[in-house]
Amino acid sequence: MALAVRRYRVEGEVQGVGFRWYVREQARSLELAGWVRNEPDGAVVLVASGEATALDVLERQLKIGPRHSMVTDVVRRELTSFDAAGLPSLFLIER
């Protein structure tokens, strides 16, 4: 079981289309911990922690997005287990 922590920045038409709710549901179904939020510049940012294979699945789903979204870029950054400290165990939407 390889655990990992990743930060994703998703760009494109990703606000006002249910993207955060989509991410939350995908992450919860994959049993990931973390959070997702909108950024002032129109991007969506999230931090997720869990099995590396589950994070790979989430990354593929981020590139697809929900209906009415149009993802132009997904930037991934690997974090350390130290960065996972304080993450909510249930994946949450931050406001």
Side-chain angles (χ1 to χ4, degrees):
M1 175 194 299
L3 292 179
V5 184
R6 296 180 186 160
R7 179 186 187 274
Y8 295 97
R9 178 180 169 81
V10 185
E11 298 176 349
E13 297 295 323
V14 293
Q15 289 191 15
V17 294
F19 203 91
R20 291 177 299 158
W21 285 268
Y22 170 82
V23 171
R24 180 186 63 194
E25 294 310 306
Q26 299 300 320
R28 285 183 177 180
S29 73
L30 294 165
E31 299 181 356
L32 298 172
W35 53 263
V36 61
R37 71 171 177 236
N38 285 338
E39 292 291 291
D41 66 0
V44 169
V45 171
L46 60 129
V47 173
S49 173
E51 295 259 353
T53 55
L55 289 168
D56 292 340
V57 171
L58 177 65
E59 186 171 339
R60 287 192 297 275
Q61 293 168 333
L62 293 175
K63 292 175 181 177
I64 297 168
R67 189 174 183 199
H68 303 297
S69 69
M70 187 170 67
V71 177
T72 58
D73 197 17
V74 176
V75 179
R76 178 176 93 186
R77 189 174 84 195
E78 298 288 335
L79 302 177
T80 67
S81 58
F82 179 77
D83 296 308
L87 282 179
S89 58
L90 186 61
F91 203 91
L92 301 176
I93 295 173
E94 288 192 347
R95 307 232 180 244

